[in-house]
């Protein structure tokens, strides 16, 4: 292994391990939170939380202008060119301005379509006021996305890790008391308060580096056309992904019950979400590094991707073996004995993480190059196939 390759591998291993470790702490705290949620609200309550979550994610992806990726790419390029330039400061100001525009747009869209969301999610209009109350959540998520894009683009890795950790701790101490005191009526207030705390923690770190400045002048916002163009592809890909998860839960709720949705969500969380903590470095460190490599530097791009694939496989392989063996103990411990029905599902689904270790670094290549069509095609096909397979397999078996 030559020196350059060795250093590249060490860098990928270092930051994948760091953010994997931070994500591990976050997961541990999240597990405690979900244990309380499972015990207090039961499968039906978890199903309701899941439906609100998936709907909010869908609306956020639909109205967020794709800044979580296109913003990172633009900031990363300017930062790599000159970390102290006025151009970088203008780019940060532009990303923040676009995120505020997305926040206003997303909030209004959620308010206007609250009746439609209630009907398609629950089959009636009994949750219209719930979605009206959740509309500020969409705006807050857009603001958070813009700040995170700035922090990732300028490699504020330590503050990013701390903000993430504080956000999860705040979610624990905010949501659990609300669920305990108000039951299912505490779900929406917990969503809003948790998101507000995330804005505070995230902006505390990002504004220390870049004071908050925005502009809504048309000529200034028009400079973000290239960001929005790439972001639209990411928005559509996010809609495919969130829409697929939303339709899966909707299908399970209609063909099965709210309890079925809660069981599926528990199995999904413990494998794809919790088991995928190794992949947390993809967005925080890997994607900005890949974006900084010139589009003409094929060798450099391939080197960055290969090192990340190698590191991901090295870290995740032993974890998957231990995960499969320990799941009969972990599942009731994390949730409750009511969730044992998804044990077989989780043990099989864990194997998907190995394939994900190969897929994710490759899927980021198209986005880092600005090849929006290829990225959109791959993500769209994946979302459709997942929805069809899950629906057909549940219907048959």
């Amino acid at each position: 292994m030559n020196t350059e390759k060795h250093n590249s591998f060490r860098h990928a291993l270092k930051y994948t391990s760091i953010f994997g470790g931070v994500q591990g702490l976050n997961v541990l705290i999240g597990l405690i939170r979900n244990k309380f949620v499972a015990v207090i609200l039961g499968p039906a309550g978890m199903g309701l939380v899941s439906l609100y979550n998936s709907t909010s994610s869908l609306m956020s992806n639909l109205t967020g202008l794709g800044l979580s990726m296109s913003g990172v790419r633009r900031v990363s390029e300017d930062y790599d060119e000159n970390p102290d330039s006025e151009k970088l400061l203008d780019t940060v100001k532009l990303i923040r301005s676009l995120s505020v525009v997305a926040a206003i747009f997303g909030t209004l869209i959620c308010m206007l379509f609250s009746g439609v969301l209630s009907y398609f999610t629950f089959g009636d209009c009994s949750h219209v006021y719930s979605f009206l109350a959740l509309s500020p959540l969409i705006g807050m998520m857009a603001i958070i996305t813009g700040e995170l894009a700035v922090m990732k683009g300028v490699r504020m890795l330590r503050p990013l890790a701390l903000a993430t950790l504080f956000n999860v701790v705040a979610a624990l101490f905010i949501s659990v008391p609300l669920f305990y005191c108000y039951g299912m009526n505490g779900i929406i207030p917990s969503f809003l308060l948790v998101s507000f705390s995330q804005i505070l923690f995230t902006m505390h770190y990002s504004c220390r580096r870049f004071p908050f400045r925005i502009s809504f002048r048309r000529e200034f916002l028009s400079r973000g056309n290239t960001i929005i163009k790439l972001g639209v592809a990411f928005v559509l890909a996010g809609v495919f992904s969130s829409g697929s998860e939303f339709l899966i839960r909707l299908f399970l709720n209609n063909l099965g019950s709210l309890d079925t949705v809660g069981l599926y969500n528990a199995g999904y969380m413990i494998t794809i979400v919790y088991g995928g903590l190794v992949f947390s470095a993809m967005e925080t460190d890997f994607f900005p590094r890949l974006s900084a490599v010139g589009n003409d530097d094929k060798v450099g791009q391939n080197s960055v991707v290969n090192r990340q694939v190698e590191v991901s496989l090295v870290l995740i392989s032993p974890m998957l073996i231990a995960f499969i063996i320990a799941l009969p103990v972990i599942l009731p411990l994390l949730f409750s004995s009511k969730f044992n029905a998804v044990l077989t599902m989780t043990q099989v689904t864990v194997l998907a993480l190995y394939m994900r270790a190969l897929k994710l670094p490759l899927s980021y290549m198209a986005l880092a190059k600005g090849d929006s069509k290829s990225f959109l095609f791959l993500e769209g096909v994946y979302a459709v196939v997942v929805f069809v397979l899950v629906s057909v397999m549940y219907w048959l078996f």
Side-chain angles (χ1 to χ4, degrees):
M1 181 182 292
N2 58 46
T3 303
E4 184 179 354
K5 180 180 178 181
H6 180 66
N7 290 337
S8 175
F9 181 83
R10 285 185 61 187
H11 180 93
L13 181 60
K14 176 183 177 181
Y15 285 102
T16 300
S17 301
I18 288 175
F19 281 96
V22 171
Q23 191 69 11
L25 290 174
N26 295 341
V27 165
L28 180 61
I29 297 171
L31 292 177
I32 298 172
R33 174 173 173 260
N34 285 315
K35 175 68 175 181
F36 280 109
V37 174
V39 172
I40 296 171
L41 301 182
M46 287 202 71
L48 189 60
V49 170
S50 172
L51 287 172
Y52 283 147
N53 256 328
S54 58
T55 306
S56 299
S57 296
L58 177 62
M59 294 300 297
S60 178
N61 287 331
L62 184 63
T63 61
L65 302 181
L67 295 178
S68 60
M69 283 297 179
S70 61
V72 173
R73 182 175 183 269
R74 178 68 173 271
V75 173
S76 180
E77 289 176 344
D78 291 343
Y79 177 80
D80 192 64
E81 182 179 321
N82 186 349
D84 299 312
S85 65
E86 287 294 325
K87 182 180 179 182
L88 176 61
L89 294 177
D90 280 346
T91 299
V92 171
K93 181 179 177 180
L94 178 61
I95 297 299
R96 283 173 164 167
S97 302
L98 291 175
S99 70
V100 173
V101 171
I104 297 172
F105 177 67
T107 301
L108 292 176
I109 289 295
C110 189
M111 293 175 66
L112 290 173
F113 289 91
S114 56
V116 176
L117 292 172
S118 176
Y119 181 80
F120 278 102
T121 306
F122 297 97
D124 53 44
C125 294
S126 59
H127 292 262
V128 172
Y129 292 110
S130 297
F131 285 110
L132 277 173
L134 279 174
S135 56
L137 174 66
I138 309 303
M140 287 188 282
M141 291 171 71
I143 299 295
I144 295 169
T145 297
E147 296 304 312
L148 291 178
V150 171
M151 294 174 70
K152 292 172 184 176
V154 299
R155 321 293 202 273
M156 294 175 62
L157 302 182
R158 183 175 180 274
L160 186 61
L162 289 173
T164 304
L165 184 60
F166 288 144
N167 288 338
V168 177
V169 173
L172 173 66
F173 286 100
I174 290 172
S175 59
V176 171
L178 286 173
F179 293 153
Y180 181 78
C181 294
Y182 301 104
M184 291 192 184
N185 291 329
I187 292 176
I188 293 177
S190 72
F191 276 125
L192 296 174
L193 289 175
V194 166
S195 293
F196 183 70
S197 70
Q198 288 177 344
I199 286 182
L200 294 180
F201 284 123
T202 304
M203 293 192 70
H204 169 72
Y205 288 105
S206 64
C207 290
R208 288 170 63 180
R209 175 73 179 271
F210 301 101
F212 191 82
R213 290 197 295 266
I214 58 175
S215 173
F216 296 121
R217 291 182 293 109
R218 179 177 296 181
E219 58 271 21
F220 180 74
L221 291 177
S222 64
R223 292 163 55 184
N225 288 340
T226 55
I227 299 175
I228 295 175
K229 182 179 179 181
L230 178 61
V232 166
F234 187 72
V235 166
L236 294 176
V239 169
F240 279 128
S241 178
S242 299
S244 175
E245 288 302 319
F246 173 74
L247 290 175
I248 287 172
R249 286 163 173 78
L250 189 63
F251 177 84
L252 295 177
N253 187 41
N254 290 331
L255 196 64
S257 65
L258 199 58
D259 285 354
T260 305
V261 179
L263 291 170
Y264 170 80
N265 193 59
Y268 183 88
M269 287 173 65
I270 201 173
T271 52
I272 303 300
V273 177
Y274 294 157
L277 59 90
V278 172
F279 306 124
S280 62
M282 294 289 183
E283 278 190 57
T284 51
D285 174 61
F286 168 68
F287 180 65
R289 283 191 294 114
L290 184 62
S291 297
V293 179
N295 287 341
D296 297 329
D297 188 1
K298 306 298 182 183
V299 175
Q301 289 179 341
N302 290 338
S303 177
V304 173
V305 172
N306 288 337
R307 296 294 79 73
Q308 191 64 47
V309 170
E310 190 175 353
V311 166
S312 298
L313 292 177
V314 167
L315 292 177
I316 203 170
S317 297
M319 187 187 77
L320 295 187
I321 297 172
F323 210 45
I324 293 174
I325 296 173
L327 268 174
V329 177
I330 294 176
L331 188 61
L333 183 65
L334 298 182
F335 298 98
S336 70
S337 58
K338 298 178 182 178
F339 292 84
N340 286 338
V342 291
L343 175 60
T344 304
M345 167 194 160
T346 53
Q347 287 177 317
V348 175
T349 308
V350 163
L351 298 175
L353 295 176
Y354 192 83
M355 301 300 174
R356 199 177 183 195
L358 299 172
K359 165 188 170 289
L360 280 180
L362 295 172
S363 65
Y364 278 114
M365 286 191 72
L367 198 59
K369 293 178 180 179
D371 188 358
S372 55
K373 292 181 180 179
S374 297
F375 177 77
L376 181 59
F377 174 76
L378 292 172
E379 293 298 310
V381 170
Y382 176 80
V384 171
V385 170
V386 167
F387 169 69
V388 171
L389 288 177
V390 171
S391 302
V392 170
M393 292 299 179
Y394 177 80
W395 180 63
L396 292 177
F397 304 108

